[in-house]
Amino acid sequence: MEDYTLAGNDSIGKFIFEQSVAEPAPSALYDQHLQLAGKSHIVDFAGYLMPLWFTSISAEHEAVRQNAGLFDCTHMGILEISGPDAANFLNTVATNDIDNLEEGKAQYSYILDTAGNVLDDIIIYQLERQRYMVIVNAANEPKIKAWFDSLLKGKAVIDTEQPARKLGANPIIRDMRNTKSGGECSVDIALQGPKSLEIITGLLGDKSVLNKIEQLKSFHFIRAKVADVDCIVSRTGYTGAKIGYEFFVHPDKAGRLWEALLDAGKESGLLPCGLGVRDSLRIEAGLPLYGHELAGPFNISPFEAGYGWAVKLEKDFFIGKTAMKQNSETHNMQVVRIELPGEKGIRPVRQNDGILDKDSKCIGYVLSCAKAGEKQIALAYIRKNYTEENTPVGIYYPARNKKQLENGKKKSVETGDLLRADIEGKIISRFARF
Amino acid sequence: MVPEGLYYTKEHEWTKVAGDTATIGITDHAQEQLGEITFADLPAVGDKLSAGTEFASVESSKAASDVYSPIAGEVVEVNSALDAKPELINDDCYGQGWICKARITDKSGLDKLMDAKKYEDYLKGL
C-alpha cells in the first residue's frame, strides 16, 4: 500500500484521504480494445486505459436494450475478506446486514466513515462460510484499502459517541485482482441485455449448468465453466437490464472469455460497450454513481439517493450509524429521475444545470444526464416536496462559455434563484428496468 | 482525413478562403473526439470574429467544445441546417457540416495557420 497518503480520521470522524496520481495502466483487456476501438477513444479512467466507446454510445445503448452488450469491468476493485472475523468485520464496516447473506448470494451495501460520509457503494458476495468478495468502485479502491488498513491498525475512531469502541475483528484482506496475492483471483466482465442468456448457452459444456443459470435470481451466483474458463456467473449488473450477468474470472483468462463471448454474441447483435454507454444505461435506469448521486459535492446520503433499505439502522452498530440515523430523519433533499426532450438539436442537459419548479424557482441541481433514444434522462437532487411523479420541472442551463456569459446566462445557479427555463420535463419513477 | 487547400488551427478548426470570404468548420479529428454531436450553438450574422476567440460551440452527450475562429472577420452566413441536424458535422465535417461563412477583415493572420501537411504532422504528434 504505497500508493496513498494515509491521513487518518479527524476529530469529527471524517476520513481524510489524498490519493496520489499515477500513470494510467492498460486494462486487463487493453489488447482486445486496441483491436476493436480507435485509439483516440481510449481514455484514462480511474487509472486505467479504457475505451469511451467502440461503435457509438447510441448504438451501444440500443444494443444493450434490444440485444446485449459486453463490458470491460476489469478495473473494478475486488477484495477478499476472509477468516473467522470476516462477517463481523463486514457487519461493522458496511451498512447492510451481512447475516442476510448465504453462500451464492450477493448484497448491495455502503461503507461509511465514522461521520457517516459515504466512502463507497459496494456489492458483497458470500463465496463460502467465512469468505466474502467485495466489489468496490475503481476510483475508490485505494481509499477503501486505506480505510480498512487504518481500521485494522486501530488508527481510526469508529464511534464518535463511544470513542473507546474497538473494531474487535481481525479478518484477512486480500486484493483478488493481484495474481501474486495467493489464492483465487478475479476480474469482472459483464454481459447485459435481453439476449445475454442465449449468448452464454452455446458456451456451456454442461446442460445442467444452463438450467442453473436460467434459474438464477437477481443478486445470486454460481460457479460454472463458460467457454472452458472457470468463473463465477452472477446475476448482477449496472445497466438496469432485467437479464444480465457478471463473470468473475482469473485475470489471465479474461481475454479468452471476452473474445469467446463476443464471438458467441455475433448473431445476437451483441456489441462491446465502452464507458460512455455504461454511464447512459445506468442513468436511464436511475442507478447512482459514486461522486454524482452518492457523496460528491452535495455529500448525498443513501437515504437521499433512494437506498435507505440498504442501511440497516436496526443493527446494533455499524460505522457511521449515528449520523445515518439522523440523516434518515432529517434529510430534505432527494435524488429523482427526470424525463426531458432529447432530439437532435436540443442542447444536452448537464451536471449542475438548475431544476426549476412551476414558479421558476430553482429547487435543485442536475447530477447526471444522458441521452436515451429521443429523450434525455436526468438524475437530479431536489427538495423533497417536489419529488412526486409527473411533477413538471424546468431546466436552466448556466453559461458554458464566455459567449453565453456575455449573453446574460448566469455562471452557476443556487436554490431559490428565480430563472427562466430553457427546456421543460417531468419527474418520472425513481428507477426503471428494461 | 485532412483535405488539401484549407487552413487549420491547433484547436482543430478549418477554414477555406475564397477571395474575402472564409468558410469555417471543425476538422475530422475534432468531430471524432466529440462523438455523436447533438447540439450546435451557432453565431449570428453580423457577429464579429477575432482570430483565436470562441464564436460557437458544439456538444455531444459526453463533451462540450468551444469553436475558435481561425480568422478575423464578420459573420455573413450561418449553416442553420445544423440547428436541426447537428450530426452533419459528424457525417461531413468539411462539406455540409460547415459552421459559418465570414468576410475576412484582416488577412495577415492566415500566415499563422497550418496547411494540410503541417496539420497532419501536428495530429501525428498528439
Side-chain angles (χ1 to χ4, degrees):
Chain A
M1 296 208 186
E2 298 80 26
D3 57 342
Y4 62 84
T5 322
L6 180 60
N9 65 346
D10 68 8
S11 57
I12 56 156
K14 182 179 164 65
F15 184 56
I16 297 163
F17 173 76
E18 282 174 43
Q19 194 170 332
S20 57
V21 180
E23 274 290 297
S27 101
L29 296 168
Y30 188 68
D31 292 345
Q32 281 76 11
H33 299 335
L34 278 187
Q35 288 170 23
L36 293 166
K39 203 170 181 177
S40 62
H41 300 152
I42 293 180
V43 297
D44 175 5
F45 178 77
Y48 294 90
L49 293 170
M50 317 242 319
L52 260 182
W53 67 83
F54 292 90
T55 315
S56 71
I57 297 174
S58 62
E60 291 163 27
H61 193 110
E62 177 83 1
V64 174
R65 292 298 180 235
Q66 302 302 325
N67 305 311
L70 190 62
F71 297 78
D72 175 1
C73 304
T74 61
H75 61 305
M76 300 291 286
I78 308 185
L79 303 176
E80 180 190 72
I81 315 286
S82 63
D85 291 346
N88 185 12
F89 175 77
L90 287 170
N91 251 340
T92 306
V93 302
T95 59
N96 209 332
D97 190 352
I98 210 81
D99 298 334
N100 292 340
L101 273 184
E102 58 193 28
E103 202 179 313
K105 214 173 149 182
Q107 178 184 74
Y108 183 65
S109 193
Y110 295 99
I111 298 173
L112 310 177
D113 70 8
T114 311
N117 301 299
V118 179
L119 296 179
D120 202 9
D121 62 333
I122 59 172
I123 296 182
I124 304 173
Y125 294 72
Q126 185 167 353
L127 299 178
E128 50 194 70
R129 205 172 73 85
Q130 300 185 357
R131 196 158 80 90
Y132 299 85
M133 176 169 87
V134 177
I135 314 298
V136 302
N137 277 301
N140 289 333
E141 186 188 8
K143 180 179 68 182
I144 293 302
K145 283 179 168 174
W147 174 239
F148 285 176
D149 195 41
S150 75
L151 290 174
L152 291 188
K153 288 182 176 149
K155 284 185 186 166
V157 173
I158 63 170
D159 187 350
T160 44
E161 297 197 326
Q162 294 181 49
R165 188 192 282 269
K166 290 278 173 276
L167 181 66
N170 194 22
I172 301 154
I173 300 178
R174 184 172 66 89
D175 181 347
M176 291 182 76
R177 291 191 307 149
N178 179 355
T179 52
K180 296 190 183 85
S181 65
E184 185 182 7
C185 290
S186 287
V187 290
D188 183 0
I189 292 173
L191 175 67
Q192 302 277 306
K195 295 194 179 161
S196 298
L197 186 63
E198 100 181 24
I199 292 165
I200 309 172
T201 304
L203 298 174
L204 302 171
D206 185 347
K207 270 269 180 302
S208 69
V209 174
L210 173 61
N211 197 21
K212 281 185 195 157
I213 294 177
E214 272 172 349
Q215 303 295 321
L216 266 185
K217 289 188 204 134
S218 184
F219 277 78
H220 284 70
F221 62 93
I222 58 161
R223 289 182 182 272
K225 257 191 194 319
V226 180
D228 227 20
V229 175
D230 285 313
C231 50
I232 288 172
V233 181
S234 167
R235 179 100 186 265
T236 43
Y238 188 47
T239 58
K242 282 180 188 154
I243 300 179
Y245 302 93
E246 287 182 273
F247 303 93
F248 296 94
V249 53
H250 191 283
D252 296 344
K253 300 277 173 63
R256 198 163 124 195
L257 181 63
W258 171 272
E259 285 166 8
L261 286 165
L262 263 191
D263 199 45
K266 263 186 196 150
E267 304 290 306
S268 311
L270 172 71
L271 285 185
C273 290
L275 295 165
V277 75
R278 205 171 130 82
D279 203 40
S280 64
L281 291 161
R282 70 95 193 161
I283 292 168
E284 187 186 24
L287 302 172
L289 172 64
Y290 187 90
H292 288 253
E293 291 76 26
L294 282 170
F298 302 109
N299 200 17
I300 298 175
S301 78
F303 288 95
E304 292 165 327
Y307 285 86
W309 58 267
V311 181
K312 298 290 195 283
L313 292 172
E314 63 275 19
K315 281 204 297 188
D316 279 346
F317 177 73
F318 59 84
I319 295 173
K321 182 181 165 183
T322 307
M324 268 311 94
K325 186 164 186 304
Q326 194 185 6
N327 181 271
S328 74
E329 290 156 4
T330 59
H331 72 97
N332 59 10
M333 298 288 280
Q334 191 83 43
V335 175
V336 291
R337 213 162 57 103
I338 296 173
E339 185 184 279
L340 297 153
E343 324 71 278
K344 293 242 163 111
I346 293 213
R347 172 179 226 152
V349 170
R350 293 198 195 278
Q351 189 177 3
N352 297 328
D353 287 357
I355 310 288
L356 314 182
D357 71 3
K358 61 176 179 15
D359 302 321
S360 304
K361 194 176 74 191
C362 180
I363 51 167
Y365 310 90
V366 172
L367 302 166
S368 300
C369 187
K371 204 165 142 59
E374 294 294 287
K375 293 197 159 55
Q376 296 185 87
I377 303 293
L379 299 177
Y381 188 57
I382 65 170
R383 299 265 303 280
K384 237 166 88 180
N385 38 334
Y386 293 93
T387 56
E388 201 173 311
E389 269 180 57
N390 292 318
T391 306
V393 289
I395 304 279
Y396 177 85
Y397 308 122
R400 289 173 198 164
N401 60 28
K402 214 173 82 195
K403 192 180 130 199
Q404 291 162 11
L405 207 57
E406 285 164 5
N407 288 342
K409 279 283 186 184
K410 288 174 74 108
K411 195 169 179 167
S412 61
V413 295
E414 296 282 341
T415 50
D417 287 354
L418 284 175
L419 302 161
R420 206 173 77 203
D422 291 295
I423 59 169
E424 277 162 18
K426 63 173 184 186
I427 310 269
I428 53 174
S429 64
R430 174 67 188 81
F431 298 100
R433 301 294 301 276
F434 301 88
Chain B
M1 189 173 82
V2 179
E4 295 285 337
L6 310 182
Y7 294 98
Y8 297 91
T9 71
K10 286 186 173 169
E11 288 79 31
H12 309 287
E13 291 88 13
W14 59 263
T15 184
K16 185 172 155 188
V17 177
D20 279 347
T21 306
T23 307
I24 302 169
I26 67 170
T27 67
D28 188 50
H29 174 85
Q31 71 78 19
E32 169 86 4
Q33 287 286 308
L34 276 161
E36 298 155 89
I37 293 166
T38 56
F39 177 74
D41 188 10
L42 302 172
V45 170
D47 279 4
K48 301 269 187 294
L49 305 180
S50 66
T53 303
E54 69 208 32
F55 71 99
S57 63
V58 286
E59 302 197 22
S60 67
S61 58
K62 282 286 109 188
S65 181
D66 289 334
V67 184
Y68 298 88
S69 178
I71 53 107
E74 185 180 323
V75 175
V76 293
E77 194 181 342
V78 171
N79 185 5
S80 50
L82 297 178
D83 282 336
K85 288 187 148 194
E87 69 270 27
L88 288 172
I89 300 173
N90 292 119
D91 299 343
D92 187 12
C93 65
Y94 297 113
Q96 291 183 67
W98 62 279
I99 291 173
C100 73
K101 291 182 182 173
R103 190 175 53 78
I104 306 174
T105 48
D106 177 7
K107 277 201 165 179
S108 65
L110 290 175
D111 300 345
K112 296 190 185 113
L113 302 173
M114 291 177 274
D115 63 14
K117 171 81 179 59
K118 275 192 185 149
Y119 180 61
E120 223 163 309
D121 290 343
Y122 173 70
L123 287 179
K124 279 179 197 148
L126 291 180

